[in-house]
Amino acid sequence: MVDLPLGFSHHVANIGIKDDTDDFVIVAADRPVPCAALFTKSRFAGPSVLLSREHIADGMAQAVVVISKNSNVATGATGMANAREVAESIAERLSASPTDVVVTSTGVIGRQYPMERVRAGIVDVPASLVGRDALAPATGMMTTDTVAKVAEATVEGSEARIVGMAKGVGMIEPDMATHISLVFTDAELSPEALDGAFRRVVDRTFNCVSIDTDTSTSDTSAILASGDAGPVEIDAFESALHRVCLDLTKQIARDGEGANSLIEVHVDRAADVDQARRVAKVVVNSPLVKTAVHGGDPNWGRVAMAIGKCSDDTDIDQEHVVIRFGETEVYPTQLSDGDLAALSGYMRSDHVIIHVSLSTGDAESTVYGCDLSDTYVRFNADYTT
């Protein structure tokens, strides 16, 4: 069992939004602590996102709330009033300030919170939270996830721990944040140091995962630091934070709706990191590349096609690009039909690496996604019906 870091506890319950599983999560400290968060850039961002942006502006927070299976998006003034009521009511239960409560929501768009159920659930929140295991809140956050996602690391040179949890398997193409991910640490850091480290790590992890090219209206990534384990060296902290967030990133990609394979696209010898990530994203997001992996088809032409869509990158010359599946070069080396057939087994594996070298510079980037199956199409075709 993975426990939350020192200084944090939780309350997890079913308040009737889901039929039979937990749908209401609070993780809190006993006082306001340094906090950093990143949110979706969607023009349809929900009230929870808009409210939480306000609340973390001072770099401090005490509690994070997740209401699962209802996103409270496109719900107008009533939805905003309901989000504020949630923050205020939970703050009252915890003897906290409403502005120190971060509210997150995930689920179907366009439906108001069932406030009578929410109010009844908040009444049952104890004044002192006692839950310590990280799996319970990670499970309570789930919507279409098939497994709860938890990761942990210890900061080198200290006893400080970092524990993260995430939900999300569909509608994931990050834009400053992705899905809902909550990270907690007992390391002692200033709000400014925490924010800087978190932004850098999110950019290299959560912003490098894509399931289906769709950006959620509710994306939220937040981190709170209790400081109970004492000060840490910032580079060591950032390294441990990267391990946690990268672990969660891969778990998200593996659990993509209907997915059988984690697709890792590594682009190197690029002009800069932006070019490397841009090319990697266009490959991992290609429906034809995704379906080729799902079918075990070593059709490298689909990867070449995807790279070619980066038409503004005029420094990319097809004569100098190298494409590999795993360690096997498939372009420009011409493989026999027999050699390509032998790659079919690799393409069906649960972790497929596509490696592209651009020969435009020395930068690199890696992104993560998954294959595209008929299960994904069927599931999302029937999502609300």
Side-chain angles (χ1 to χ4, degrees):
M1 182 174 73
V2 177
D3 283 340
L4 291 170
L6 298 175
F8 294 101
S9 52
H10 68 69
H11 171 75
V12 180
N14 176 274
I15 60 173
I17 298 177
K18 294 180 182 175
D19 291 334
D20 55 3
T21 58
D22 291 333
D23 51 24
F24 182 66
V25 173
I26 304 172
V27 181
D30 60 6
R31 66 194 185 282
V33 299
C35 172
L38 296 167
F39 302 95
T40 182
K41 289 182 177 179
S42 171
R43 300 307 302 166
F44 258 82
S48 299
V49 167
L50 302 178
L51 181 68
S52 294
R53 280 178 181 154
E54 295 176 14
H55 287 187
I56 63 97
D58 64 352
M60 302 292 288
Q62 184 169 340
V64 181
V65 182
V66 184
I67 294 178
S68 180
K69 206 62 176 178
N70 182 311
S71 70
N72 190 28
V73 168
T75 50
T78 299
M80 178 58 80
N82 289 339
R84 290 192 186 280
E85 181 181 339
V86 168
E88 291 166 0
S89 299
I90 289 173
E92 183 177 359
R93 298 297 299 171
L94 301 179
S95 299
S97 167
T99 58
D100 287 328
V101 177
V102 176
V103 180
T104 70
S105 302
T106 175
V108 179
I109 292 171
R111 297 179 181 176
Q112 298 287 351
Y113 285 153
M115 285 306 293
E116 291 305 314
R117 298 177 188 176
V118 173
R119 292 182 185 115
I122 293 175
V123 167
D124 290 335
V125 175
S128 297
L129 309 187
V130 297
R132 292 283 300 138
D133 65 299
L135 184 60
T139 303
M141 293 166 59
M142 293 167 55
T143 50
T144 58
D145 306 65
T146 64
V147 294
K149 301 167 181 65
V150 176
E152 66 172 332
T154 299
V155 180
E156 186 176 354
S158 76
E159 295 183 357
R161 297 174 60 242
I162 304 171
V163 174
M165 58 193 73
K167 65 79 53 186
V169 292
M171 200 186 289
I172 293 182
E173 166 64 55
D175 197 355
M176 284 304 292
T178 180
H179 58 269
I180 292 178
S181 56
L182 307 178
V183 184
F184 304 94
T185 180
D186 46 23
E188 181 182 329
L189 294 151
S190 69
E192 294 77 15
L194 184 67
D195 181 74
F198 193 56
R199 287 177 181 274
R200 289 189 294 271
V201 167
V202 166
D203 195 48
R204 291 181 287 134
T205 56
F206 295 144
N207 274 347
C208 288
V209 61
S210 182
I211 301 299
D212 49 22
T213 80
D214 285 331
T215 297
S216 172
T217 55
S218 303
D219 291 346
T220 302
S221 294
I223 184 170
L224 280 72
S226 72
D228 285 14
V232 294
E233 199 276 324
I234 187 61
D235 289 342
F237 174 80
E238 188 167 329
S239 177
L241 180 61
H242 182 267
R243 293 198 300 275
V244 169
C245 294
L246 183 60
D247 189 341
L248 291 173
T249 295
K250 291 181 179 181
Q251 289 185 54
I252 290 164
R254 287 186 185 278
D255 197 29
E257 288 169 347
N260 295 318
S261 300
L262 166 67
I263 301 176
E264 179 179 334
V265 181
H266 180 69
V267 174
D268 61 11
R269 300 183 64 196
D272 51 38
V273 171
D274 286 344
Q275 183 184 65
R277 183 180 300 178
R278 187 165 51 250
V279 172
K281 280 284 191 73
V282 80
V283 172
V284 84
N285 282 335
S286 166
L288 291 180
V289 172
K290 288 174 172 288
T291 51
V293 172
H294 182 69
D297 182 6
N299 187 346
W300 59 264
R302 293 183 174 183
V303 177
M305 171 278 301
I307 299 168
K309 291 194 291 185
C310 297
S311 55
D312 290 337
D313 290 276
T314 55
D315 54 340
I316 296 176
D317 183 346
Q318 62 178 297
E319 299 297 330
H320 299 133
V321 172
V322 177
I323 300 171
R324 301 176 183 86
F325 290 154
E327 297 181 355
T328 302
E329 183 177 313
V330 293
Y331 175 85
T333 297
Q334 297 294 310
L335 298 184
S336 67
D337 289 345
D339 289 336
L340 284 173
L343 273 177
S344 181
Y346 175 76
M347 298 300 287
R348 287 192 175 91
S349 65
D350 61 3
H351 184 185
V352 174
I353 299 174
I354 298 174
H355 181 182
V356 177
S357 297
L358 296 178
S359 300
T360 58
D362 298 318
E364 60 186 322
S365 182
T366 303
V367 304
Y368 305 88
C370 62
D371 60 324
L372 180 61
S373 69
D374 54 351
T375 303
Y376 175 90
V377 176
R378 188 72 271 150
F379 181 89
N380 283 284
D382 298 336
Y383 189 71
T384 63
T385 55

